[in-house]
Amino acid sequence: MMLDTASARALKHAIREWGRELGFQAVGIAHLDQSLAGARLREWLAAGRHGEMDYMARHGSKRWVAGELVPGTLSAISARMDYWPGDTHDPLDLLEQPQRAYVSRYALGRDYHKLLRARLQKLADRIAAQIGPFGHRVFVDSAPVLEKPLAASAGLGWIGKHTNLIARDGGSYFFLGEIYTDLPLPEDEPVSDHCGSCRRCIDACPSGALPAPYQIDARRCISYLTIELHGAIPLELRPLIGNRIYGCDDCQLVCPWNRYARLAGEPDFRARHGLDAASLVELFGWDEAGFLARTEGSAIRRIGHLRWLRNIAIALGNAPADARIVAALQARAGHPDAVVSEAVQWALARQADPSPRAPVPSALDFRERARVPGAARPDLP
């Protein structure tokens, strides 16, 4: 679709306003040339740091050449929506309670994929109502799209040393989505990196998944181990997982820019079924039907009941010795799935081992400097 310069600028301004009305905290127009990000992705894949995420190696240049994925694409609209839920238990307190389960804060409420996709489609509908039908396609983790580089080039933030996007006025607790369009919208300018000499995220990573600034080895990342990995979790990494049964937030919990993160305005992102501080034994007792019922509409459902049990068994093995934990593990000692059964046996052996546990680096080492949304927000040093 053809637009003159003045019309394109006016439409871009309107898109931002419509985005805010639909619940997005920021909307920008990305640069389509993502060749540098594509080169970095190829290096990461060549090093094998994607682990078993074979889908990251598929589709080739479609990931960084928008016109190959959606022919005719002239602009990419990038949008962010904050997710930190209010009225939840303090995450640092939870990490100090090894008999309780830690679930990454983004997964406590409704699955963001459908919600963001529906909002982005509404944004596209608003555009169509203004200018008429136009070519577009909406993405929320639904296609080979380099969402973080796109968002960075759209001025929504910079990619931090933990490889997550950081917004100066909003931290990093947010979801991203995109609309590829055939509209010639003026691009936004990227913002500069403001990580400086800080390396708290690197030092706080419990499993050493950040080998250097701006690099991540997914094979050691707790989010990968508890969500993406289908088989047994490597033995040497299990003690490092602690009580984290679905994802990990440590690198973000210690980031000083998250002092400026905001509570989510979406009621659907609030915690469900007490998952913000549930006991491991309680969650381990869920049968498959109970798991499916309680995770309906949740991102957690994607791992399935077997990986749910595997993850909780590891966490139970990391908890201090307790007769209730042993009883819960023994109740599943004969589980028919080999991966679950092995994890249970490992956990039982850990419960029976009286030797002291070695301390594990985590966000707790930075408690006095960590901030969560809604807390006091002093100026950064």
Side-chain angles (χ1 to χ4, degrees):
M1 174 177 289
M2 297 299 295
L3 291 172
D4 60 44
T5 300
S7 297
R9 288 176 178 169
L11 179 58
K12 174 181 172 178
H13 177 76
I15 288 172
R16 282 181 169 160
E17 291 302 312
W18 296 334
R20 292 190 185 99
E21 291 172 7
L22 289 167
F24 293 104
Q25 279 66 53
V27 177
I29 310 302
H31 300 271
L32 291 185
D33 182 4
Q34 295 297 324
S35 54
L36 179 58
R40 290 171 176 164
L41 172 63
R42 293 194 296 274
E43 291 176 1
W44 184 71
L45 292 169
R49 288 182 168 177
H50 60 302
E52 295 183 5
M53 295 184 290
D54 295 336
Y55 60 86
M56 292 297 298
R58 301 182 196 134
H59 308 293
S61 57
K62 287 184 178 180
R63 286 190 178 273
W64 56 89
V65 181
E68 290 187 14
L69 180 62
V70 182
T73 297
L74 297 179
S75 300
I77 301 170
S78 180
R80 127 186 172 221
M81 183 179 288
D82 296 343
Y83 67 71
W84 191 274
D87 302 324
T88 59
H89 286 74
D90 184 289
L92 296 176
D93 286 345
L94 189 58
L95 289 172
E96 286 189 305
Q97 301 179 55
Q99 293 186 347
R100 295 192 176 275
Y102 189 93
V103 174
S104 184
R105 306 291 92 170
Y106 85 85
L108 290 175
R110 180 184 174 191
D111 188 347
Y112 67 94
H113 295 88
K114 293 181 180 179
L115 189 150
L116 259 68
R117 186 178 182 85
R119 295 295 176 83
L120 287 170
Q121 186 56 56
K122 287 183 179 180
L123 178 57
D125 293 342
R126 290 286 296 271
I127 298 172
Q130 179 74 16
I131 66 170
F134 70 102
H136 70 277
R137 187 171 168 188
V138 172
F139 301 110
V140 181
D141 295 341
S142 54
V145 173
L146 296 177
E147 61 175 11
K148 287 185 284 188
L150 279 172
S153 71
L156 269 60
W158 72 93
I159 296 178
K161 292 180 181 179
H162 49 25
T163 75
N164 294 306
L165 195 77
I166 304 174
R168 190 167 187 171
D169 65 342
S172 61
Y173 301 123
F174 49 75
F175 301 123
L176 296 171
E178 304 78 37
I179 305 175
Y180 280 13
T181 86
D182 61 0
L183 301 174
L185 300 172
E187 299 170 345
D188 284 296
E189 290 297 322
V191 298
S192 57
D193 186 313
H194 292 283
C195 284
S197 62
C198 178
R199 51 173 290 129
R200 295 175 193 173
C201 57
I202 297 170
D203 296 336
C205 179
S207 55
L210 302 171
Y214 312 104
Q215 297 182 28
I216 186 168
D217 189 339
R219 297 167 298 184
R220 297 188 65 87
C221 178
I222 293 174
S223 288
Y224 167 82
L225 295 171
T226 56
I227 300 172
E228 301 289 347
L229 184 65
H230 287 260
I233 295 174
L235 289 171
E236 69 275 13
L237 298 179
R238 295 181 187 184
L240 308 179
I241 291 174
N243 63 342
R244 303 165 185 84
I245 66 167
Y246 188 95
C248 178
D249 293 321
D250 287 49
C251 64
Q252 298 187 85
L253 290 173
V254 302
C255 177
W257 287 106
N258 273 326
R259 295 174 180 176
Y260 301 95
R262 305 164 186 170
L263 296 178
E266 281 298 324
D268 278 344
F269 292 155
R270 293 173 183 163
R272 299 179 174 186
H273 302 295
L275 283 174
D276 59 319
S279 76
L280 290 168
V281 169
E282 174 193 351
L283 300 183
F284 199 57
W286 289 2
D287 59 17
E288 185 169 17
F291 169 80
L292 293 175
R294 293 178 177 91
T295 60
E296 184 175 1
S298 164
I300 297 173
R301 180 181 275 204
R302 64 174 293 212
I303 68 172
H305 188 236
L306 295 179
R307 271 184 282 173
W308 174 257
L309 293 178
R310 177 203 64 182
N311 295 347
I312 300 175
I314 298 301
L316 288 169
N318 290 329
D322 186 290
R324 292 168 297 178
I325 290 178
V326 172
L329 289 166
Q330 288 176 337
R332 292 197 182 274
H335 197 280
D337 181 80
V339 172
V340 173
S341 177
E342 186 276 332
V344 169
Q345 294 303 324
W346 177 86
L348 283 168
R350 289 267 291 180
Q351 282 286 307
D353 186 354
S355 57
R357 308 278 174 89
V360 177
S362 78
L364 292 171
D365 298 327
F366 298 83
R367 171 180 275 281
E368 74 283 0
R369 286 177 286 179
R371 295 289 186 274
V372 297
R377 299 172 185 171
D379 290 335
L380 290 173

